[in-house]
Amino acid sequence: MMIVATIVGLAATACFFLFTRKLVSIFGAQDALYVNFAIQAVRIYLSLITLTCLQKVCSIFMQSIGQAGSAAFLSILRDGLLILFSIAFAMIGGLNGIFYAAVAADLCAFVITAVIAIRFFARMPMLIKSQQELYAQA
């Protein structure tokens, strides 16, 4: 699933960068100022969408293996960070700061998710062994 999420995320990123003008034209006027602003906004805001895809896959994986606490935390992590960073970055960089807040939220959420996933996979042999012992007793 991680491979598929990476491919889809990279394809989406490529589309956002290669066809930005076409995508933007779906949503608004043909005013040059608007189009240039929207192109910049889309390219910045969605530049790390691949990391978001990977972060969501890890969240779903944690849920599927019964790690509800981790899954819930990871599910809201990026959005929570986005809210906090949007407020902070808007104070520093105005409207462009809000766009960069998404990039920072994506990056931070991915790093935190990677740490949680790596720790889980490091503990996995121990968890499997304890499950095997539990089933052997039954």
Side-chain angles (χ1 to χ4, degrees):
M1 197 60 208
M2 295 294 269
I3 293 169
V4 172
T6 301
I7 291 169
V8 168
L10 290 174
T13 301
C15 287
F16 294 141
F17 277 86
L18 296 173
F19 307 112
T20 314
R21 186 171 298 278
K22 294 232 186 260
L23 292 168
V24 165
S25 70
I26 294 170
F27 299 102
Q30 299 305 316
D31 179 78
L33 186 60
Y34 165 79
V35 171
N36 290 335
F37 171 76
I39 287 171
Q40 177 188 8
V42 167
R43 287 184 174 165
I44 295 169
Y45 194 85
L46 298 174
S47 62
L48 294 182
I49 197 72
T50 303
L51 298 183
T52 303
C53 293
L54 295 171
Q55 195 262 343
K56 295 299 179 189
V57 167
C58 282
S59 171
I60 293 167
F61 171 74
M62 292 300 212
Q63 182 179 3
S64 73
I65 60 170
Q67 299 293 313
S70 293
F73 172 73
L74 294 177
S75 262
I76 62 170
L77 178 61
R78 191 259 183 190
D79 297 328
L81 289 173
L82 180 58
I83 292 167
L84 295 174
F85 289 167
S86 291
I87 294 167
F89 284 38
M91 290 180 196
I92 298 167
L95 187 56
N96 279 339
I98 294 172
F99 301 140
Y100 285 105
V103 175
D106 289 339
L107 186 59
C108 288
F110 177 77
V111 169
I112 292 167
T113 300
V115 168
I116 289 170
I118 289 167
R119 285 183 176 173
F120 175 79
F121 286 116
R123 288 189 352 247
M124 197 188 263
M126 184 180 65
L127 294 172
I128 291 171
K129 185 177 179 180
S130 67
Q131 287 293 321
Q132 288 172 339
E133 290 171 358
L134 183 66
Y135 287 130
Q137 293 172 357

